[in-house]
Amino acid sequence: MERTKVIVPQFTIELPAGMELIATEDRERLEADQQIIWDLNKACEVSGYTRVDMTKILQVFKKQLDIDNGGCVFYPYAGGKYRIESLKFTRFLRNNFPRIMKELKSK
């Protein structure tokens, strides 16, 4: 019986002074913490979606996102404005990216 030898390389990466690696979730949390509650414009700016696409996302996924159902979006009524909790919404966008793209594609 032939044995296979597994070699695990070990190496060091030296980062420039003042630089460090951070997990994506930690970075997103730090960015979201800078402004906890977003309006529709800020959500579009941060996510890169257009206002039309963001409005569609908010409507298609309303059942999941509505604060009344434990979500992270306050839906406006009588001319009010969306209020979006940034950290949970960022997670929602990341975790549901394929579903979101499918919905936006079916315009």
Side-chain angles (χ1 to χ4, degrees):
M1 177 183 261
E2 208 174 297
R3 291 183 136 184
T4 303
K5 186 173 183 177
V6 176
I7 300 173
V8 179
Q10 293 182 353
F11 53 90
T12 302
I13 298 174
E14 197 169 317
L15 298 173
M19 301 291 286
E20 60 184 72
L21 296 176
I22 184 170
T24 300
E25 280 192 29
D26 292 338
R27 179 188 50 78
E28 289 173 351
R29 181 182 48 77
L30 290 169
E31 288 173 352
D33 285 348
Q34 290 178 12
Q35 185 176 354
I36 297 171
I37 305 299
W38 293 342
D39 60 10
L40 187 59
N41 292 331
K42 185 65 174 181
C44 292
E45 176 189 326
V46 173
S47 68
Y49 291 110
T50 66
R51 190 175 178 91
V52 170
D53 286 348
M54 182 60 70
T55 301
K56 182 171 183 178
I57 292 166
L58 293 173
Q59 292 308 312
V60 169
F61 297 99
K62 182 175 182 175
K63 189 173 182 177
Q64 267 183 274
L65 292 171
D66 197 320
I67 202 164
D68 290 337
N69 297 328
C72 57
V73 177
F74 172 79
Y75 283 79
Y77 57 93
K81 295 182 178 183
Y82 287 102
R83 294 289 177 233
I84 302 166
E85 194 280 316
S86 60
L87 182 57
K88 287 181 185 175
F89 190 67
T90 301
R91 283 188 192 141
F92 172 82
L93 293 175
R94 184 180 64 244
N95 294 338
N96 293 283
F97 183 74
R99 289 176 55 210
I100 292 168
M101 290 293 99
K102 184 178 179 181
E103 289 295 333
L104 295 179
K105 186 178 172 185
S106 67
K107 285 184 179 181

